[in-house]
Structures are given as C-alpha cells and as structure tokens.
Amino acid sequence: MADHNALPLVVLAEKFASLPGIGMKSAQRLAYHVMSMDKESVEDFAKALISAKNDVHCCKICQNLTEREVCPICDDQDRDHSLICVVETPKDVTAFERTREYGGVYHVLHGLISPMDGITPDKLRVKELLGRISQGGVEEVIMATNPTVEGDATAMYIAGLLKPLNVKVSRLAFGLPVGGNVEYADEVTLFKALENRNYM
Amino acid sequence: MADHNALPLVVLAEKFASLPGIGMKSAQRLAYHVMSMDKESVEDFAKALISAKNDVHCCKICQNLTEREVCPICDDQDRDHSLICVVETPKDVTAFERTREYGGVYHVLHGLISPMDGITPDKLRVKELLGRISQGGVEEVIMATNPTVEGDATAMYIAGLLKPLNVKVSRLAFGLPVGGNVEYADEVTLFKALENRNYM
C-alpha cells in the first residue's frame, strides 16, 4: 500500500502500525504528521521514547514504575506507610491517586495469577510484598485487584499468605461492576469501593 | 491525570497525545506499551522518527516525498514522461499507484488554492510544474485534484496557465463511485454522472 512513499516514511508508518490500536491508515497519517512537525519536536519525541524505555524501572519498595530509586509515593513521609493497597498495574495506582482520598501507600503486583496463561505467583511481585510486611510496621493490606476471577483468586491467594503475618487484610467493596476494570472506574465509584472495603 | 506516573512515561504520553487523533488515554496506553517493547525496537522507532524528518524531502522533479534526489517514479524510464498527473498530496500519488493502471508521472502541488486560508498559488508547487512543461516533451497534463471547490478552482487556475504552453489539459471524470448506490448519491454527483454518461 505504501510502496510508493519515501522509504523512511514507510518505515515510520510501520513502527506506528506496530503499536496497539493503530491501523496502517492511521499510521501513515501519523508518519506524514511527523514530517510536518518541527525538527526539535521530532527529536524530543525520539528522546522521550528512549527515556521511557531506559530511565523507567520499578520502585524498590512498592514496585510501581518510577525514574527514581524510590517512587515519590513511597518517599512521601506524610502518607500512611502502615496501609498498603495492593494493585495489579501502575495504571491502577494512577486511578487511586485520582480519587484524592487514599493516603496510604501501594504495592504493584505487575499482573494477576492466571495459571491458564502460565502466570504463577512467583511471576508476580508477591515476595517483595511479603518482604515489606515482614519488616514490620504494616497494619493493613487492602487487596485492590480487579473484581474478576483472576483478581479474586490473586486476592484470596495473597490473603492466605498474609494470615500468619498478623496484618489485617481487606478487599475492595463490590461497588465496582463485576467484570469491570479498576483503571476505567470513575472516582466516586472507586472511592466508595475503598470506603466500603470488607475485612477478609 | 498522569501525575503519579513515572515522569518519562508522562512525557512520552504527552508526545503521543500531541499527534492527531490520539487522546490522553490512548497516549498513556501507548507509553506503557513502549515500556514493554524490547530496547532495540524502541531505538529503531526513535531512529525512524528522526529519519522521517531528516531524510525525506521533495523530489526535485515531481515534488513527491522521497529520500532520494529524484523519486523512483521520475527515475523510472519505463514510465510515460509525456503524461503528468497533477495531484494535491503525496497520499494521492499512493492512491493512483494502487490502481496499477497509470503509467505516466506525477506532479504534487502540496496543497490547493484557498484564499480564505491564505493559500495562494505561489505557496503551491505551480512554478515547478510550469518549469517542467517549458522544458518540452510533455503532451498531456491530467488535473487530478479533489472534486471540491478548492480542487476545481486549482484545476481551473492551472489549466489557464498551461493554455499558452500548447499541452493538452484534462480533468478526472466525475461520476458515481464504482460499487456505489444511485439512491444514496448526492445531487451534484448524480448530475455529473448523467452529464458525462457514456453511450453503450
């Protein structure tokens, strides 16, 4: 389709088309748009790509993505470090922060247990969570995984591991629509779900 | 919204969101996707951006975008260089090439005359077209601008300039699109189709 375009444009369009949710037609339009951008903006874009790949890694405490060694949330002494909210992805942290109602810290699992997809607990950041709790000072762990089969299973599994460690374990209230997604929940629903959490 | 993400991811998401047709939510998803790509692919993407901006320029003959001095179409001696198809954008060249039926060459105007938007003929590649034709060897110029007010005006304007140069000037036929439907055709298209009917 793009055979008769200049080669660098074809190459760039293919790169855009390899991203999720971008078709070949949009990718071509984006490639043309890049040509019309000024040189500095294109260079900044290229640098941002490299930087997002190279400079971002997991916070050594909560495993959220950050460009520092310890993320700003774990580093914030005004937050309640005795309360840990366990989520599946970094996007879920953003969703909770949007409620402006949660003052504790987080732990990002980077996935949910799903034996069908070969995701066993050792592939998640569960060890790191147990490590944090065994250091003491943690009073409550809120399981804030999605209200799906995998989310529930992961919450149950981790709750089981935490039982001997003498911490309260709670689960987000099912104010969330079952089968839904934490990332896309509106602020009020998410806040209600947080407020009505059930102790396990 | 993305305040609590790692800074490089926020920056990259903003770059994606600055592209046409990509909202903040998609941009964030794309930024996360970039993180999950392998390092080499991200570097290739960054290089492709820079290359599309730096290595692509206009063919010195037809003004189509190319990474060479003369584009492959102008350089192809098997094509009919006495037939020039005048189009608005490089994308239109791709559209014609897809038909696999056109054996002539092109001239890309990079726009249409639109006094309302401040696009006067001197902002288009009209001089370059006149230069090509004055060198001789051109028998016919096909005006293949869009069938819109601006497209028609541009075709008429250029046809006027070409009159003293003793070349045939033609305009794309207007009619029903193949696979189209009389019932849903707009009045002007239907009138054009009627006016330009072919006797069987």
Side-chain angles (χ1 to χ4, degrees):
Chain A
M1 181 167 119
D3 296 347
H4 298 85
N5 281 325
L7 193 61
L9 281 182
V10 176
V11 171
L12 181 58
E14 279 166 2
K15 300 292 177 198
F16 275 121
S18 74
L19 297 175
I22 298 184
M24 198 55 209
K25 203 88 192 169
S26 307
Q28 261 189 299
R29 196 169 37 239
L30 292 174
Y32 278 109
H33 178 81
V34 168
M35 274 211 54
S36 73
M37 285 163 62
D38 59 68
K39 198 172 162 172
E40 202 184 345
S41 304
V42 176
E43 281 165 4
D44 284 349
F45 198 155
K47 273 185 219 148
L49 277 169
I50 301 282
S51 168
K53 180 65 192 171
N54 290 355
D55 301 342
V56 177
H57 47 255
C58 292
C59 166
K60 72 172 185 174
I61 299 175
C62 75
Q63 312 298 320
N64 192 12
L65 298 174
T66 180
E67 74 280 16
R68 314 192 202 172
E69 195 181 9
V70 171
C71 78
I73 294 173
C74 288
D75 208 27
D76 185 347
Q77 293 311 316
D78 291 339
R79 298 188 75 122
D80 181 358
H81 290 255
S82 71
L83 181 63
I84 298 180
C85 180
V86 176
V87 296
E88 178 189 350
T89 68
K91 288 177 206 175
D92 298 332
V93 173
T94 309
F96 275 103
E97 287 300 293
R98 259 197 319 260
T99 69
R100 298 168 194 275
E101 297 284 351
Y102 179 68
V105 293
Y106 297 92
H107 192 86
V108 181
L109 295 173
H110 290 278
L112 294 175
I113 297 170
S114 174
M116 297 278 282
D117 304 316
I119 304 174
T120 48
D122 58 296
K123 297 213 168 110
L124 306 179
R125 309 295 169 92
V126 177
K127 274 190 313 293
E128 289 83 351
L129 176 63
L130 298 179
R132 283 174 80 176
I133 293 163
S134 65
Q135 283 174 5
V138 177
E139 284 171 22
E140 181 177 344
V141 175
I142 304 168
M143 298 306 309
T145 50
N146 286 339
T148 57
V149 175
E150 288 85 4
D152 283 340
T154 306
M156 293 291 282
Y157 174 82
I158 293 176
L161 292 178
L162 297 183
K163 216 160 211 173
L165 295 176
N166 200 27
V167 284
K168 267 191 283 188
V169 181
S170 58
R171 178 86 173 102
L172 282 189
F174 280 92
L176 293 170
V178 175
N181 195 312
V182 168
E183 187 192 342
Y184 294 111
D186 65 283
E187 291 85 333
V188 182
T189 305
L190 210 49
F191 174 50
K192 288 290 171 197
L194 198 61
E195 197 176 44
N196 299 323
R197 62 187 183 272
N198 298 308
Y199 292 96
M200 295 167 83
Chain B
M1 182 166 122
D3 297 347
H4 297 86
N5 280 325
L7 193 62
L9 281 181
V10 177
V11 171
L12 181 58
E14 280 166 1
K15 300 291 177 198
F16 275 121
S18 74
L19 297 175
I22 298 186
M24 199 54 210
K25 202 86 192 171
S26 308
Q28 260 190 301
R29 196 166 39 239
L30 293 173
Y32 277 108
H33 178 82
V34 167
M35 274 213 53
S36 73
M37 286 163 63
D38 59 68
K39 197 172 163 173
E40 203 183 344
S41 305
V42 176
E43 281 165 4
D44 286 350
F45 197 156
K47 273 185 220 147
L49 276 170
I50 302 282
S51 167
K53 180 65 193 173
N54 290 354
D55 302 342
V56 177
H57 46 254
C58 292
C59 166
K60 71 170 186 176
I61 298 175
C62 74
Q63 311 299 320
N64 193 9
L65 298 174
T66 178
E67 74 281 16
R68 313 192 203 173
E69 194 181 9
V70 172
C71 77
I73 294 174
C74 287
D75 207 28
D76 185 346
Q77 292 311 314
D78 292 341
R79 299 189 74 122
D80 181 358
H81 289 255
S82 71
L83 181 62
I84 298 180
C85 180
V86 176
V87 295
E88 178 189 349
T89 68
K91 290 177 205 174
D92 297 331
V93 172
T94 310
F96 274 102
E97 287 300 292
R98 260 198 316 260
T99 69
R100 296 167 194 279
E101 297 285 351
Y102 179 69
V105 292
Y106 297 92
H107 191 87
V108 182
L109 294 173
H110 291 277
L112 294 175
I113 297 170
S114 174
M116 296 277 282
D117 305 316
I119 305 174
T120 48
D122 58 295
K123 299 215 166 111
L124 306 178
R125 308 296 169 92
V126 177
K127 276 190 312 291
E128 291 82 351
L129 176 63
L130 298 178
R132 284 174 81 176
I133 292 164
S134 65
Q135 283 173 4
V138 178
E139 285 172 19
E140 181 177 346
V141 175
I142 305 169
M143 297 306 308
T145 50
N146 287 339
T148 57
V149 174
E150 288 85 4
D152 283 341
T154 307
M156 293 289 283
Y157 174 82
I158 294 176
L161 292 178
L162 297 182
K163 214 160 213 171
L165 295 175
N166 201 27
V167 284
K168 266 191 285 186
V169 181
S170 59
R171 180 89 174 100
L172 282 189
F174 298 138
L176 289 173
V178 174
N181 195 314
V182 169
E183 190 186 345
Y184 297 119
D186 65 283
E187 295 85 338
V188 183
T189 302
L190 210 49
F191 172 67
K192 290 282 183 193
L194 200 61
E195 198 177 43
N196 300 322
R197 65 189 178 273
N198 298 308
Y199 291 98
M200 299 165 79

